[in-house]
């Protein structure tokens, strides 16, 4: 099942370290089958509430691939380039099957 890495980033200081992070991240994801789904503000339109910052979403073929990427020496080496220059929340979340229905969550253990 696909796992997504989702980041809500705020207060990004777009300088040399963020540029170095952007130049390196694709290489860290490749061995784990990672790819970008969303990157940046995506010309977003807020329909309800308020929302500031940017959304970044990556997809990986499995939870184990996503966790291995995040823990990899290559990603850990560049991670401080982002964390020193942006506030944010980052999480891993599993996708759903193609035939998923809203009521399926009512039947989970």
């Amino acid at each position: 099942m696909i796992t997504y890495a989702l980041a809500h980033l705020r207060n990004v200081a777009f300088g040399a370290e963020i540029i170095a992070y952007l130049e390196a991240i694709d290489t860290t994801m490749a061995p784990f089958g990672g790819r970008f789904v969303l990157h940046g503000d995506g010309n977003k339109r807020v329909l309800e509430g308020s929302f500031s910052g940017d959304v970044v979403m990556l997809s990986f073929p499995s939870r184990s691939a996503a966790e291995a990427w995040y823990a990899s020496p290559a990603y850990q080496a560049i991670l401080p380039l982002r964390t020193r220059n942006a506030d944010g929340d980052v999480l891993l979340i599993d996708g759903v099957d193609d035939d998923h229905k809203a009521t399926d969550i009512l039947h989970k253990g």
Side-chain angles (χ1 to χ4, degrees):
M1 177 172 296
I2 292 175
T3 293
Y4 298 95
L6 180 63
H8 174 210
L9 303 178
R10 299 170 302 281
N11 305 315
V12 178
F14 204 88
E17 286 192 329
I18 290 293
I19 291 169
Y21 177 86
L22 293 171
E23 291 174 341
I25 190 170
D26 293 308
T27 302
T28 71
M29 295 178 352
F32 304 97
R35 67 176 189 83
F36 281 93
V37 177
L38 301 170
H39 195 192
D41 71 7
N43 193 23
K44 68 182 175 281
R45 178 178 171 213
V46 178
L47 297 176
E48 297 180 22
S50 61
F51 188 89
S52 64
D54 297 318
V55 176
V56 178
M57 183 185 294
L58 312 175
S59 72
F60 292 88
S62 65
R63 170 64 66 108
S64 61
E67 290 173 343
W69 162 74
Y70 190 85
S72 71
Y75 186 67
Q76 288 298 304
I78 68 166
L79 180 57
L81 300 174
R82 178 179 55 77
T83 58
R84 284 194 298 257
N85 293 283
D87 299 323
D89 307 299
V90 178
L91 60 113
L92 296 180
I93 187 164
D94 294 333
V96 296
D97 294 327
D98 289 341
D99 62 348
H100 178 83
K101 304 287 186 249
T103 54
D104 290 350
I105 66 166
L106 300 175
H107 306 291
K108 286 191 171 186

